[in-house]
Amino acid sequence: MTEQPGGIIDSTFHLLGKIEVFRTRRNAVILAHNYQLGETQDAADFVGDSLELSRKAAETDADTIVFCGVHFMAETAKILSPQKTVLLPDPQAGCPMADMLNVEQLREFKAKYPGRPVVAYVNTTAAVKAEVDICCTSANALKVIESLDADEIIFVPDRHLADYVASNTSKKIIGYPGYCPTHLNILPEDILKTKAQHPKALVIVHPECSRAVIQLADGVYSTSGILRFARESDAREFIIGTEVGIIHRLKKENQDKEFYSPTERAVCPNMKLITLEKLAWALEDNQYPIELPSDIIEKARTAIERMIAIA
């Protein structure tokens, strides 16, 4: 690529410079989820999964948190850092799974199974978190379930994570019928085809995948678990069954290893909405701030802190 005035490289350098100026001016910390565009990940102070990032941001002395992710992630950052300004560079960056369960739907679901404790995956809105007993991540879901003094547990909103947890515990898991469309775009035949092309590759998938895909995997991990497994494994090739954005970080951190996505359909369009331009605009114009009622923050924070204490 030729570096010319007004060209792509020149524009990128200009945006990165602008981001740095306003990051300093606002005393901001930039967070990017593992599924974000590579350029957005590279511009961030921290890259990781949603809860990990929110906890890191809470520990900094930053006045402003810019969360390059989706809406529920920025809400979680606000819950853990209510005194800080939290910005989401694109207000349209939502999560289809989180949108499958609102407070009214949760209350109706709970009413069908009275007396059962409710575990909410962090991929939920702040309002839903405020209505549950405890939260969990894909990494600690089983540990959270095992910690509860109950034989039957309601798990929302992802039925596939619920199914995976149920296969690893003696407790009865009552799953809500939500799902991640992106992970369901990964089909068993995609795994088999890619494995045939790369027979030495290990298959590592996220537990939001379908049971049929999970059954073909050599390992099932959260995004942080996938990164750790790839780093510590002696294998040189991996088929990664999750959103393709994580492959940018995997390649960056493991330059002597090869990573393959089983399908080009494993793309979350919402995760790709935040660009360097939108990041720069968010910092420059202080947009778009996350606002939550204080009672929602308090109740949701309790559910998150219960999880942190256990996991």
Short mmCIF file of all heavy atoms in Angstrom, two decimals, residues 75 78-80 82 126-127 129-133 292-306:
data_model
loop_
_atom_site.label_atom_id
_atom_site.label_comp_id
_atom_site.label_asym_id
_atom_site.label_seq_id
_atom_site.Cartn_x
_atom_site.Cartn_y
_atom_site.Cartn_z
N GLU A 75 -22.71 -0.82 29.78
CA GLU A 75 -23.53 -0.74 30.99
C GLU A 75 -22.80 -1.38 32.17
O GLU A 75 -22.83 -0.86 33.29
CB GLU A 75 -24.87 -1.46 30.77
CG GLU A 75 -25.87 -0.68 29.96
CD GLU A 75 -27.24 -1.32 29.99
OE1 GLU A 75 -27.34 -2.56 30.23
OE2 GLU A 75 -28.23 -0.61 29.77
N LYS A 78 -20.32 0.90 33.54
CA LYS A 78 -20.97 1.95 34.33
C LYS A 78 -21.39 1.42 35.70
O LYS A 78 -21.27 2.13 36.71
CB LYS A 78 -22.19 2.49 33.57
CG LYS A 78 -22.87 3.68 34.25
CD LYS A 78 -21.96 4.91 34.26
CE LYS A 78 -22.67 6.12 34.83
NZ LYS A 78 -21.78 7.31 34.87
N ILE A 79 -21.86 0.19 35.76
CA ILE A 79 -22.26 -0.41 37.03
C ILE A 79 -21.07 -0.50 37.98
O ILE A 79 -21.19 -0.22 39.18
CB ILE A 79 -22.86 -1.82 36.79
CG1 ILE A 79 -24.21 -1.70 36.07
CG2 ILE A 79 -23.02 -2.59 38.10
CD1 ILE A 79 -24.71 -3.00 35.48
N LEU A 80 -19.92 -0.87 37.46
CA LEU A 80 -18.73 -1.03 38.30
C LEU A 80 -17.98 0.27 38.53
O LEU A 80 -17.16 0.36 39.44
CB LEU A 80 -17.80 -2.08 37.68
CG LEU A 80 -18.34 -3.52 37.63
CD1 LEU A 80 -17.31 -4.46 37.04
CD2 LEU A 80 -18.77 -3.99 39.02
N PRO A 82 -19.64 3.76 38.62
CA PRO A 82 -20.74 4.72 38.46
C PRO A 82 -20.30 6.17 38.50
O PRO A 82 -21.00 7.05 37.96
CB PRO A 82 -21.67 4.39 39.64
CG PRO A 82 -20.80 3.70 40.64
CD PRO A 82 -19.79 2.94 39.84
N ALA A 126 -28.51 -4.14 32.04
CA ALA A 126 -28.39 -3.78 33.45
C ALA A 126 -29.71 -4.02 34.18
O ALA A 126 -29.72 -4.48 35.34
CB ALA A 126 -27.97 -2.32 33.58
N ALA A 127 -30.82 -3.72 33.53
CA ALA A 127 -32.13 -3.89 34.16
C ALA A 127 -32.40 -5.36 34.48
O ALA A 127 -32.99 -5.67 35.52
CB ALA A 127 -33.22 -3.34 33.25
N LYS A 129 -29.97 -7.68 34.97
CA LYS A 129 -29.03 -8.02 36.04
C LYS A 129 -29.58 -7.62 37.41
O LYS A 129 -29.34 -8.29 38.42
CB LYS A 129 -27.67 -7.34 35.81
CG LYS A 129 -26.85 -7.89 34.65
CD LYS A 129 -25.53 -7.15 34.52
CE LYS A 129 -24.63 -7.71 33.45
NZ LYS A 129 -25.10 -7.40 32.09
N ALA A 130 -30.31 -6.52 37.44
CA ALA A 130 -30.87 -6.03 38.69
C ALA A 130 -31.99 -6.92 39.23
O ALA A 130 -32.39 -6.78 40.39
CB ALA A 130 -31.40 -4.60 38.50
N GLU A 131 -32.48 -7.86 38.41
CA GLU A 131 -33.60 -8.71 38.80
C GLU A 131 -33.17 -10.13 39.17
O GLU A 131 -34.02 -10.96 39.49
CB GLU A 131 -34.59 -8.80 37.63
CG GLU A 131 -35.27 -7.49 37.28
CD GLU A 131 -36.53 -7.24 38.10
OE1 GLU A 131 -37.17 -8.22 38.52
OE2 GLU A 131 -36.85 -6.06 38.34
N VAL A 132 -31.87 -10.43 39.10
CA VAL A 132 -31.42 -11.80 39.30
C VAL A 132 -30.62 -11.94 40.60
O VAL A 132 -30.28 -10.95 41.25
CB VAL A 132 -30.58 -12.29 38.10
CG1 VAL A 132 -31.36 -12.12 36.80
CG2 VAL A 132 -29.24 -11.56 38.03
N ASP A 133 -30.32 -13.18 40.95
CA ASP A 133 -29.59 -13.44 42.18
C ASP A 133 -28.08 -13.26 42.01
O ASP A 133 -27.40 -12.78 42.91
CB ASP A 133 -29.88 -14.86 42.66
CG ASP A 133 -31.34 -15.04 43.02
OD1 ASP A 133 -31.78 -14.44 44.01
OD2 ASP A 133 -32.05 -15.75 42.28
N LEU A 292 -27.61 5.26 33.76
CA LEU A 292 -28.43 4.22 34.40
C LEU A 292 -28.99 4.76 35.72
O LEU A 292 -28.29 5.49 36.43
CB LEU A 292 -27.58 2.98 34.69
CG LEU A 292 -27.06 2.18 33.50
CD1 LEU A 292 -26.07 1.12 33.97
CD2 LEU A 292 -28.20 1.53 32.73
N PRO A 293 -30.22 4.39 36.07
CA PRO A 293 -30.77 4.80 37.36
C PRO A 293 -29.93 4.23 38.50
O PRO A 293 -29.41 3.11 38.40
CB PRO A 293 -32.18 4.19 37.35
CG PRO A 293 -32.49 3.94 35.91
CD PRO A 293 -31.18 3.62 35.26
N SER A 294 -29.83 4.96 39.59
CA SER A 294 -28.98 4.54 40.71
C SER A 294 -29.44 3.23 41.33
O SER A 294 -28.61 2.42 41.77
CB SER A 294 -28.93 5.64 41.77
OG SER A 294 -30.25 5.93 42.24
N ASP A 295 -30.76 3.00 41.36
CA ASP A 295 -31.24 1.74 41.96
C ASP A 295 -30.89 0.54 41.10
O ASP A 295 -30.57 -0.54 41.62
CB ASP A 295 -32.75 1.80 42.21
CG ASP A 295 -33.56 2.00 40.92
OD1 ASP A 295 -33.10 2.74 40.04
OD2 ASP A 295 -34.65 1.41 40.81
N ILE A 296 -30.90 0.72 39.77
CA ILE A 296 -30.50 -0.35 38.87
C ILE A 296 -29.02 -0.65 39.04
O ILE A 296 -28.59 -1.81 39.10
CB ILE A 296 -30.80 0.02 37.39
CG1 ILE A 296 -32.31 0.13 37.17
CG2 ILE A 296 -30.18 -0.99 36.43
CD1 ILE A 296 -33.06 -1.17 37.28
N ILE A 297 -28.20 0.39 39.13
CA ILE A 297 -26.76 0.21 39.33
C ILE A 297 -26.50 -0.58 40.61
O ILE A 297 -25.71 -1.53 40.62
CB ILE A 297 -26.04 1.58 39.38
CG1 ILE A 297 -26.01 2.20 37.98
CG2 ILE A 297 -24.63 1.43 39.93
CD1 ILE A 297 -25.39 3.58 37.94
N GLU A 298 -27.18 -0.19 41.69
CA GLU A 298 -26.94 -0.84 42.98
C GLU A 298 -27.33 -2.31 42.95
O GLU A 298 -26.57 -3.18 43.41
CB GLU A 298 -27.73 -0.10 44.06
CG GLU A 298 -27.50 -0.65 45.46
CD GLU A 298 -28.24 0.13 46.54
OE1 GLU A 298 -28.79 1.21 46.20
OE2 GLU A 298 -28.28 -0.34 47.68
N LYS A 299 -28.51 -2.61 42.42
CA LYS A 299 -28.98 -4.00 42.40
C LYS A 299 -28.14 -4.86 41.44
O LYS A 299 -27.79 -6.00 41.76
CB LYS A 299 -30.45 -4.04 41.99
CG LYS A 299 -31.39 -3.45 43.02
CD LYS A 299 -32.83 -3.43 42.51
CE LYS A 299 -33.77 -2.78 43.51
NZ LYS A 299 -35.16 -2.69 42.99
N ALA A 300 -27.82 -4.32 40.27
CA ALA A 300 -27.03 -5.08 39.30
C ALA A 300 -25.62 -5.31 39.82
O ALA A 300 -25.03 -6.38 39.62
CB ALA A 300 -26.99 -4.33 37.96
N ARG A 301 -25.08 -4.30 40.49
CA ARG A 301 -23.74 -4.43 41.06
C ARG A 301 -23.69 -5.56 42.10
O ARG A 301 -22.71 -6.30 42.17
CB ARG A 301 -23.30 -3.11 41.68
CG ARG A 301 -21.86 -3.10 42.16
CD ARG A 301 -21.52 -1.79 42.87
NE ARG A 301 -20.14 -1.76 43.29
CZ ARG A 301 -19.17 -1.11 42.65
NH1 ARG A 301 -19.45 -0.43 41.55
NH2 ARG A 301 -17.94 -1.14 43.10
N THR A 302 -24.75 -5.69 42.87
CA THR A 302 -24.81 -6.77 43.86
C THR A 302 -24.71 -8.13 43.19
O THR A 302 -23.97 -9.01 43.65
CB THR A 302 -26.12 -6.68 44.68
OG1 THR A 302 -26.14 -5.44 45.39
CG2 THR A 302 -26.24 -7.83 45.66
N ALA A 303 -25.44 -8.32 42.09
CA ALA A 303 -25.40 -9.60 41.37
C ALA A 303 -24.02 -9.87 40.80
O ALA A 303 -23.54 -11.01 40.79
CB ALA A 303 -26.44 -9.60 40.25
N ILE A 304 -23.35 -8.83 40.31
CA ILE A 304 -22.01 -8.99 39.76
C ILE A 304 -21.00 -9.27 40.87
O ILE A 304 -20.12 -10.14 40.74
CB ILE A 304 -21.60 -7.73 38.97
CG1 ILE A 304 -22.47 -7.60 37.71
CG2 ILE A 304 -20.13 -7.79 38.58
CD1 ILE A 304 -22.30 -6.29 36.97
N GLU A 305 -21.11 -8.55 41.98
CA GLU A 305 -20.15 -8.73 43.07
C GLU A 305 -20.29 -10.10 43.73
O GLU A 305 -19.30 -10.67 44.20
CB GLU A 305 -20.32 -7.62 44.11
CG GLU A 305 -19.82 -6.27 43.59
CD GLU A 305 -19.97 -5.15 44.60
OE1 GLU A 305 -20.79 -5.30 45.53
OE2 GLU A 305 -19.27 -4.12 44.45
N ARG A 306 -21.49 -10.65 43.75
CA ARG A 306 -21.66 -12.00 44.26
C ARG A 306 -20.89 -13.01 43.40
O ARG A 306 -20.26 -13.92 43.90
CB ARG A 306 -23.15 -12.38 44.28
CG ARG A 306 -23.95 -11.75 45.41
CD ARG A 306 -25.42 -12.03 45.26
NE ARG A 306 -26.21 -11.40 46.34
CZ ARG A 306 -27.51 -11.17 46.27
NH1 ARG A 306 -28.19 -11.54 45.16
NH2 ARG A 306 -28.13 -10.60 47.28
#
